[in-house]
Amino acid sequence: GENVEQHPSTLSVQEGDSAVIKCTYSDSASNYFPWYKQELGKRPQLIIDIRSNVGEKKDQRIAVTLNKTAKHFSLHITETQPEDSAVYFCAANHPHTGNQFYFGTGTSLTVIP
Amino acid sequence: SQTIHQWPATLVQPVGSPLSLECTVEGTSNPNLYWYRQAAGRGLQLLFYSVGIGQISSEVPQNLSASRPQDRQFILSSKKLLLSDSGFYLCAWSPARGRSIYEQYFGPGTRLTVT
């Protein structure tokens, strides 16, 4: 099955700096790569996603890049704010029956005011 | 718009007791449905998924089972809980067709503590 690895597991940045989280996947059939943000005790919320026919996608302060050849994708958050502090999860899908997601182990991001 | 519900929100159960968690989705038809478990401070583990009524696929062998008795209802069950079943149980749905076919949206979750 799919194996998704995520790094780093924890990340601290000063407010206003950028944060980068990286993931790798193993299944070349995966064609959809979402990122979720989970605040303490809450459900994961989809914040951005990218499909395999696109190399980069941006939404205000967040962007995601995808390198299909190397099987890795990254989340970039610019001008970080304290409210960006949360756990972030990447995932890769198995695009056949059921479109299952396989998640990375998460990155705990702390933005220091 | 679509809404996903889970209940109960929290549950404390003794080891060996049965379990039934329910998930329902409103505002869509024939969704794909998923059960995930998140242990404390850990990632999301896919337990079961369903592409239609009565169609259940299991990802991880365990003492849990799932059923989909209606199109928008997904139930997670156990006959005898183990301590290791403690965690945050999340139901998710995705559209079966359309532009957003790949997106998954999570319910509010059930926090289960097995004592």
Side-chain angles (χ1 to χ4, degrees):
Chain A
E2 175 72 276
N3 182 38
V4 178
E5 295 188 359
Q6 182 172 347
H7 300 280
S9 57
T10 60
L11 180 61
S12 291
V13 299
Q14 292 288 334
E15 182 177 357
D17 287 351
S18 296
V20 180
I21 303 170
K22 298 182 179 183
C23 289
T24 61
Y25 62 99
S26 60
D27 188 353
S28 57
S30 295
N31 61 0
Y32 176 75
F33 308 92
W35 287 89
Y36 286 83
K37 175 183 180 183
Q38 187 178 30
E39 297 176 346
L40 192 62
K42 304 287 187 180
R43 75 184 87 181
Q45 299 274 13
L46 177 66
I47 57 171
I48 195 167
D49 55 18
I50 191 167
R51 302 195 182 199
S52 58
N53 59 346
V54 175
E56 184 174 357
K57 182 176 178 181
K58 189 173 181 180
D59 183 3
Q60 299 183 340
R61 296 188 296 109
I62 59 172
V64 58
T65 58
L66 171 66
N67 182 327
K68 285 193 300 181
T69 303
K71 295 194 182 72
H72 67 71
F73 56 112
S74 301
L75 177 71
H76 305 253
I77 305 175
T78 59
E79 301 173 26
T80 53
Q81 301 168 2
E83 51 265 38
D84 294 329
S85 296
V87 179
Y88 291 82
F89 292 97
C90 65
N93 74 333
H94 182 64
H96 305 296
T97 305
N99 188 44
Q100 308 93 292
F101 283 3
Y102 297 94
F103 282 85
T105 49
T107 297
S108 179
L109 172 65
T110 301
V111 179
I112 303 165
Chain B
S1 63
Q2 299 82 16
T3 309
I4 180 169
H5 303 279
Q6 284 187 249
W7 63 89
T10 59
L11 192 59
V12 180
Q13 291 283 96
V15 169
S17 64
L19 173 73
S20 181
L21 303 181
E22 190 164 343
C23 169
T24 59
V25 182
E26 296 177 353
T28 187
S29 59
N30 196 31
N32 291 335
L33 297 172
Y34 310 85
W35 278 112
Y36 292 88
R37 176 170 60 200
Q38 186 174 35
R42 305 292 297 275
L44 294 141
Q45 180 187 35
L46 178 63
L47 302 175
F48 300 94
Y49 67 92
S50 172
V51 299
I53 296 173
Q55 300 179 62
I56 309 294
S57 296
S58 173
E59 283 289 302
V60 182
Q62 59 219 325
N63 70 320
L64 298 172
S65 62
S67 62
R68 184 170 177 174
Q70 300 180 44
D71 181 44
R72 289 169 288 178
Q73 183 185 30
F74 206 21
I75 296 172
L76 183 69
S77 304
S78 174
K79 292 182 180 178
K80 289 186 177 181
L81 284 169
L82 306 172
L83 282 175
S84 57
D85 291 324
S86 293
F88 192 36
Y89 286 81
L90 290 153
C91 181
W93 76 277
S94 69
R97 61 187 63 82
R99 192 172 181 278
S100 302
I101 188 173
Y102 291 128
E103 298 172 10
Q104 285 188 25
Y105 299 94
F106 287 89
T110 294
R111 195 162 303 280
L112 171 66
T113 303
V114 182
T115 61

